[in-house]
Amino acid sequence: MFNRKLMLDTTSQESIFIWGPRQTGKSTLLHFIFPMATRIDLLKNNVYMKYKNNPSLLREEILLSNDSIVLVDEVQKIPELLDEVHWLIENKGVKFVLCGSSARKLKRGHANLLGGRALRYELFGLIAQEIGAEFNLEKALNHGYLPRHYLAENPKRMLQAYINDYLKEEIAAEGLVRNLPVFTRFLNAASFSDTEIINYSTIARDCGVSSPTIKEYFEILQDTLVGYILPSYAKREKRKTISNPKFYFFDVGVVNFLNKRGKIQIGTELYGKAFENWVFHELRAHSQYTDKFYDISFWRMDNGVEIDFILNDMEVALECKSSQSIKADHLKNMRVLYEEIPRVKKRIIVCMETQGRKTEDGIEILPAMEFIKKLWADEII
């Protein structure tokens, strides 16, 4: 088992919501942390039907068994169970560990989200620190971050099954979309938007639907934790900046399969896009797992000058360059940023060079794995 960086307090009596896309390893992690918990797996059809037909059975069974910790897998499948969970927390002090792949169905149905009585966590795909010395960046960028896919010799069939069985059919089965063929076309179109500013009208034309429908589909991807909408940096300085958001899939392996990329190799444009997706993945995991919860945005001027990531209010500016040799042209955007917003505290280029260095005007150039080491040592933010 990988040494996951998400830390859960086993001594506290607080209940827990843990969210994450399918196959990120939620169940494996929770069984390891809470081995004595009573488990209710709503992915099993007989278990699902039992509680779906009579949610109050949960309360009655726990009152009889006197269980102190109860783990419920895929809790979003039966929103009504949360009323029973709420009562058992309030009246019997039962600790619940609730995990699921999407809170959208709960929110849309105005389900009981326990009013702050459960701490919220999110589990991501594998990060470099969890794999350790065996981490292989080229493998991660080709296979993706889901544990089974990363470890596989060839994950193509796994990715095909994942996309067909989860990203398409299950989202439809949960009633999140009415038109599965259109949503399938949207998924393919959205994969080309990974790491890019979203052009709703262009994707709408490609899919044959309205722009508001495409916006709703992107929101579904975000609510189901399959994608993330990255806002632009909000504070305008001297010149006009772009306000449309960017989009990132949660897993670069899914993007590769949807895009039919084949094997991506260093030095190509596709490698650069996958590299940027990975850096964003690492940043989000670090922000959540360390409880820093820093803001992440991007900065782009209307003349095309762009910085990939801004952390907090210009505390750190990050650019991803998959080049093995960073030259003056690669530093141009960082220098424009400093001219526009001189209060930026730290400017970093994450790249594929082998040795870290710092330019005379203060731009840090960090090899990818040195960046990861510094990130988790709290030397970046």
Side-chain angles (χ1 to χ4, degrees), residues 137-162:
L137 179 56
E138 183 178 341
K139 186 175 183 179
L141 297 191
N142 277 282
H143 290 207
Y145 321 129
L146 297 177
R148 288 181 66 240
H149 299 176
Y150 178 83
L151 292 171
E153 285 288 324
N154 185 348
K156 283 186 178 179
R157 288 194 179 276
M158 290 182 181
L159 282 162
Q160 181 186 42
Y162 189 87

Side-chain angles (χ1 to χ4, degrees), residues 166-367:
Y166 173 43
L167 296 192
K168 294 179 184 177
E169 274 78 0
E170 183 158 321
I171 285 176
E174 293 291 338
L176 301 181
V177 296
R178 294 189 184 91
N179 192 326
L180 186 57
V182 170
F183 186 75
T184 299
R185 291 201 298 273
F186 160 74
L187 269 181
N188 292 328
S191 69
F192 288 96
S193 296
D194 186 64
T195 76
E196 302 287 345
I197 292 174
I198 303 172
N199 189 322
Y200 295 108
S201 58
T202 297
I203 298 174
R205 278 197 307 273
D206 292 343
C207 296
V209 294
S210 67
S211 291
T213 297
I214 294 301
K215 286 184 180 180
E216 183 185 2
Y217 283 175
F218 272 110
E219 288 170 4
I220 287 171
L221 294 186
Q222 178 157 272
D223 286 349
T224 55
L225 309 177
V226 170
Y228 186 81
I229 298 172
L230 183 69
S232 62
Y233 181 71
K235 294 186 179 179
R236 293 185 178 180
E237 305 293 334
K238 297 177 184 177
R239 284 186 274 182
K240 187 178 180 182
T241 54
I242 299 295
S243 59
N244 274 16
K246 290 173 71 173
F247 179 76
Y248 292 83
F249 268 95
F250 80 108
D251 181 79
V252 75
V254 169
V255 179
N256 294 340
F257 189 86
L258 288 169
N259 265 342
K260 298 179 173 57
R261 285 176 173 175
K263 183 176 174 60
I264 56 173
Q265 308 208 8
I266 191 168
T268 64
E269 181 183 353
L270 291 179
Y271 191 97
K273 288 171 69 70
F275 184 70
E276 182 180 333
N277 180 294
W278 171 71
V279 171
F280 181 61
H281 170 72
E282 293 280 343
L283 287 172
R284 286 197 68 214
H286 177 261
S287 173
Q288 295 286 322
Y289 291 174
T290 60
D291 290 348
K292 291 183 181 295
F293 305 118
Y294 44 82
D295 295 327
I296 308 176
S297 59
F298 76 99
W299 183 81
R300 182 182 173 99
M301 298 172 63
D302 57 1
N303 63 3
V305 174
E306 180 178 315
I307 301 297
D308 295 323
F309 305 115
I310 302 295
L311 310 185
N312 285 338
D313 187 9
M314 288 293 166
E315 187 173 344
V316 182
L318 277 173
E319 274 218 271
C320 307
K321 301 291 183 185
S322 61
S323 173
Q324 295 171 298
S325 178
I326 298 300
K327 304 190 184 323
D329 191 54
H330 294 119
L331 307 176
K332 179 175 60 178
N333 289 1
M334 281 295 187
R335 287 170 173 156
V336 171
L337 173 69
Y338 187 72
E339 290 174 5
E340 293 290 317
I341 311 177
R343 61 186 172 80
V344 59
K345 294 180 182 177
K346 194 179 292 187
R347 292 171 294 159
I348 299 171
I349 305 286
V350 185
C351 64
M352 299 302 294
E353 285 198 4
T354 57
Q355 182 67 46
R357 55 193 173 92
K358 193 171 188 176
T359 65
E360 289 183 357
D361 60 344
I363 301 172
E364 293 182 60
I365 298 170
L366 296 179

